[in-house]
Amino acid sequence: MKTTLLLRDIYFEAFRELGNFVVRNYFKAFAWFSFAMFATVVYAFVFRIATGFAFV
């Protein structure tokens, strides 16, 4: 029984740390992706203004 409890504690500890690692890196990747998409939109808008695109 003690071995089972020890394995359970090791399992929970390992996946608790893994979960934080995955979530932290997911949000970091999502932030960079969002920044890249926003930069693309700003570039396209400035390009349209610079080339005289009629928005109406």
Side-chain angles (χ1 to χ4, degrees):
M1 185 68 182
K2 189 175 182 180
T3 305
T4 306
L5 290 175
L6 182 61
L7 287 174
R8 184 185 66 131
D9 289 340
I10 291 171
Y11 176 80
F12 281 136
E13 185 68 28
F15 280 98
R16 186 177 319 140
E17 295 299 319
L18 179 65
N20 290 339
F21 176 75
V22 170
V23 169
R24 185 172 46 245
N25 285 335
Y26 170 76
F27 281 122
K28 193 180 296 184
F30 183 72
W32 279 108
F33 177 75
S34 297
F35 175 72
M37 291 295 103
F38 183 71
T40 302
V41 168
V42 169
Y43 169 74
F45 183 69
V46 170
F47 180 79
R48 290 294 186 176
I49 289 175
T51 57
F53 181 77
F55 287 101
V56 179

